[in-house]
Amino acid sequence: MPDRQDAYGKIRNMNFQLVVEEHALECRSINTFTQEIEYEVIAEGGCSDTVHIRKKPLAKPFTFQVERYVQAGHQDVLEIGSFFERLILEISARPGDFSAPQVSFIFYGCLVSGKSYNGMNAEKSDLLVETTTIVYEQLEVASNSLV
């Protein structure tokens, strides 16, 4: 098939980029991002069998992690403490072609909260990887139905 979908139209997750303001960042991986909201169940008193479900205040923020290879002349677009109104994770059918991404995950209210680097080992050659943790307020999923 010319586009990278399986026979049932499922989207593959290997062609992606993170758009930060005007920068399109090549990433090694984007770790799983989830949104979980906790609820509490309140039972009415007396003879009533009615229960009410209420949303609890958030106990922890929504987060995701971006892994990138560190390159010579590395420009740190995702500095710790940086705030972005939105970040866009685009997934494309074709490598390097993001003119019409199949799916876009749009993260709003993003704050870079942490960074870490993989360990060094003189006995094993490996690439230096930077892991950036990003806290976000809201997630929207946009799908391109033309693909």
Short mmCIF file of all heavy atoms in Angstrom, two decimals, residues 73-74 142-143:
data_model
loop_
_atom_site.label_atom_id
_atom_site.label_comp_id
_atom_site.label_asym_id
_atom_site.label_seq_id
_atom_site.Cartn_x
_atom_site.Cartn_y
_atom_site.Cartn_z
N GLY A 73 25.45 20.68 18.47
CA GLY A 73 24.78 21.94 18.20
C GLY A 73 23.33 21.93 18.64
O GLY A 73 22.50 22.66 18.12
N HIS A 74 23.02 21.07 19.59
CA HIS A 74 21.67 20.85 20.11
C HIS A 74 21.05 22.14 20.61
O HIS A 74 21.63 22.82 21.45
CB HIS A 74 21.77 19.81 21.24
CG HIS A 74 20.49 19.53 21.95
ND1 HIS A 74 19.46 18.85 21.36
CD2 HIS A 74 20.09 19.83 23.21
CE1 HIS A 74 18.48 18.73 22.24
NE2 HIS A 74 18.84 19.31 23.35
N ALA A 142 -7.40 15.35 16.90
CA ALA A 142 -7.96 15.78 15.61
C ALA A 142 -7.56 14.74 14.56
O ALA A 142 -6.41 14.36 14.47
CB ALA A 142 -7.42 17.14 15.24
N SER A 143 -8.52 14.29 13.78
CA SER A 143 -8.28 13.27 12.76
C SER A 143 -8.53 13.88 11.39
O SER A 143 -9.50 14.61 11.20
CB SER A 143 -9.22 12.08 12.98
OG SER A 143 -8.99 11.12 12.00
#
